[in-house]
Structure formats: C-alpha cells, structure tokens
Amino acid sequence: MEINTKIKYSADERLRITRKITLAGISVNIFLAIVKFLLGFFGRSSALMADACHSLTDLSSDLIIFFGVKFWAAPPDKNHPYGHQRLETVVTLIIATSLASIGIAIGYEAIEKIIKGEVSQPMPITLVGALLSIVCKEFVFRKMNAIGKKINSPAVIANSWDARSDAMSSIPVAIAIFVALLKPELAFIDSIGAIIVSVFIIYAAFSIAKPALSEVTERAASEDVLAQIEEIVRSVEGTKSVHAVRTRHMGGGIFVDLHVEVDAELNVKEGHEIASAVKRRLLQEGPDLIDVVVHIEPFEHETFQGNVI
Ligand SMILES: [Zn+2]
Ligand SMILES: [Zn+2]
C-alpha cells in the first residue's frame, strides 16, 4: 500500500504559523516580564514581582514550542516511520506539568505570606504594570487560541491557555494592589488573590493535560468520528461490511486501521483496488485522518463477534 498523508494545513504551513505566533508570544512575555519586574522591584509590590516570574515561566514553555516544532513537523523517517507528531504530545505534557508546579508554588507562597504576615504597601505605578499585563496577555491568548484551533495544534492551544492564565493571574494582582493603595491595613488581600490565581493555574494545567493523556493512552476517537469513518467506508463500492475499526490520535490527527469484507471471489488486484478506494475516500472526506491501513477479508455471512480476526 502506498503511504499517503493529508492534514488541512501542510506540515510546512503549520511550522511557519506556529513559529510566527510563538515568536510574538515570546516577545510580549519578555517585554512584560521586564516591565513588571522593574515596576514591582522599584514600586515595592511583591505581587507584581511574582507575576513577572510567572511571565518568565510562560516564556520557557514558549521557547520549548519555538524550538520543538521543527522536530515534530519533520517528515517520517527510518527511526520514526509514523512521523514525529507525538513529540508535540510530550511537549504539551511538559507544559501542563510546569503550569501545575507554578500553580502549587504560587499557592504555597501566598499561604506562607499570610502566616508570616509579610506585607508592604506598593506604589501606585505598580497598578499600571498589572493592568498592562492583563490587556497584553488577554490579546495574546485570543490570537494564539484562534490560530491553534485553525491549524489544530494542541501545543499552540496549550500555550494560549498559558497566556490566559497569565492574564488571569494579573487580575487579582491588580485588585490587590488597588486595595493595598486604598487601605494599607488590608494588604493581606494580595495573598488571598494569589491563592485564587494558583487554583486557576492548576485547573488550566489539568485541562491542557487531558487531551495529551488521552493520546498517550491511545484513547479511541469519539463515537461520532467512528460512525463517520464507518459510513464513508460503507459508501465505497465493493465493500460488503466493515469491522475492527481502531483509531488513535497523534498530534492534531488520527491514525485509523480497519477490516473491510469484500466478495470472496475477487482476485488480489480487484481487492486491492477496493482497499485503495477506501483509503482515498477516508483521507479525502474523513475527520483529520493522517493515515489509513485497510485489511481486506472475504465476505462471510456471519456477524462480527467483536474479536479482531
Ligand atoms: Zn497498496
Ligand atoms: Zn476481520
């Protein structure tokens, strides 16, 4: 059987788009990290300085994607005959794990601050830093998320949520600074805001990890997708029945292998033509399929009992 691949965007296009949006995200993060750190340091806001550190950790995941994408967009080779897309899954899990660690660290630090009663009144300029961060990161999130969905890249979508959690984490920071500016005796609210932020971050980490974990554990495609695949196969002329449809995700696409029963009296050439037609139709009309393997069997009048024969 010939090897044939089809994704809505070519690997080259995905690579180019991913690098462009990731580079934009990196630039914004570097800018915000520097601005927030300087404002936080000279404006005496430990919350804003913590937020600056958050931007730096965001930056590390941007850099993984930026340098990683060229590896997983590489075409299949001798060592990786199914392609390298699963690297993207690994990177997604690394991002999710680091996000969860950041969330736990922020929460821990905030609780520690409340217990120790370490509070200081920030300068008004720090509020500008927090507001600037919210606006910039929300803009980056929307842009990145839309592009990630368009090119169907879990890593870019994961990274966009990183930007959103960064924007979210700046909201309690802004409120805390605002309250601390109005009433210095309420400066501890800063730490309560940080605990809320840490919960957001941990939640985001789990939602990012979920699809990647489904992929690593080779969870099948949804019922809808399976039904769609079977319907396409049945519509191909010469197929008597289809069974043992197995699917698994890889990067943004799906690998599928299935058994097709054809008239037992056909010769090898005729059987192969039907198998090729099934594959062609699935790659053309199927839902984001990367590759299809068709196994041909003689049609028998028994119903399939669930075993892969
Ligand atoms: Zn062939
Ligand atoms: Zn079979």
Side-chain angles (χ1 to χ4, degrees), residues 243-244 259 295 297 304 307-309:
H243 63 268
H259 297 191
H295 170 73
E297 291 169 15
F304 178 62
N307 293 318
V308 177
I309 306 164

Side-chain angles (χ1 to χ4, degrees), residues 240-251:
K240 299 277 189 193
S241 83
V242 52
H243 63 268
V245 178
R246 296 192 299 181
T247 53
R248 50 190 158 154
H249 291 268
M250 193 164 177

Side-chain angles (χ1 to χ4, degrees), residues 1-3 272 275-276 279:
M1 280 227 170
E2 56 282 325
I3 288 171
H272 178 252
S276 296
K279 179 175 177 168

Side-chain angles (χ1 to χ4, degrees), residues 6 48 63 93 102 134 159 167-168 174 185 196 199 241 249 254 262 276:
K6 181 225 116 190
L48 194 61
L63 290 173
L93 285 174
I102 292 161
I134 295 166
N159 210 28
M168 296 290 263
E185 66 272 22
I196 295 167
V199 175
S241 83
H249 291 268
I254 299 169
V262 299
S276 296

Side-chain angles (χ1 to χ4, degrees), residues 33-260:
I34 293 171
V35 168
K36 285 191 284 189
F37 190 83
L38 290 177
L39 288 179
F41 185 77
F42 291 108
R44 292 187 312 269
S45 167
S46 52
L48 194 61
M49 278 176 74
D51 207 30
C53 292
H54 190 200
S55 288
L56 279 180
T57 52
D58 219 15
L59 189 63
S60 69
S61 55
D62 282 336
L63 290 173
I64 292 171
I65 290 189
F66 190 70
F67 291 109
V69 69
K70 77 164 182 240
F71 294 105
W72 66 65
D77 56 28
K78 206 178 156 200
N79 289 328
H80 298 90
Y82 290 93
H84 301 78
Q85 294 100 316
R86 199 149 278 170
L87 265 174
E88 186 169 4
T89 317
V90 174
V91 171
T92 303
L93 285 174
I94 291 170
I95 291 173
T97 309
S98 52
L99 261 181
S101 317
I102 292 161
I104 292 164
I106 289 175
Y108 181 83
E109 209 175 305
I111 291 167
E112 206 176 43
K113 265 188 186 169
I114 291 174
I115 292 169
K116 289 184 181 169
E118 292 168 353
V119 285
S120 58
Q121 197 194 11
M123 280 160 65
I125 188 74
T126 55
L127 187 59
V128 177
L131 293 175
L132 184 74
S133 179
I134 295 166
V135 172
C136 289
K137 295 302 296 199
E138 181 62 20
F139 180 76
V140 170
F141 162 72
R142 291 185 183 201
K143 202 86 188 147
M144 221 178 235
N145 195 267
I147 288 170
K149 282 178 179 161
K150 203 169 81 179
I151 63 170
N152 204 6
S153 164
V156 172
I157 292 171
N159 210 28
S160 80
W161 282 102
D162 229 10
R164 166 53 75 80
S165 78
D166 226 11
M168 296 290 263
S169 84
S170 296
I171 292 174
V173 170
I175 294 170
I177 292 171
F178 185 69
V179 171
L181 284 173
L182 290 180
K183 288 183 180 292
E185 66 272 22
L186 291 179
F188 72 93
I189 284 181
D190 174 28
S191 298
I192 290 170
I195 293 167
I196 295 167
V197 173
S198 72
V199 175
F200 287 157
I201 296 170
I202 293 165
Y203 178 78
F206 278 111
S207 39
I208 288 165
K210 222 180 137 195
L213 286 173
S214 297
E215 196 182 310
V216 168
T217 55
E218 308 230 297
R219 191 190 166 94
S222 68
E223 293 287 332
D224 284 355
V225 168
L226 291 175
Q228 203 184 336
I229 288 169
E230 291 195 11
E231 204 187 307
I232 292 169
V233 175
R234 283 201 196 90
S235 73
V236 176
E237 206 188 333
T239 60
K240 299 277 189 193
S241 83
V242 52
H243 63 268
V245 178
R246 296 192 299 181
T247 53
R248 50 190 158 154
H249 291 268
M250 193 164 177
I254 299 169
F255 274 103
V256 56
D257 55 87
L258 48 84
H259 297 191
V260 169

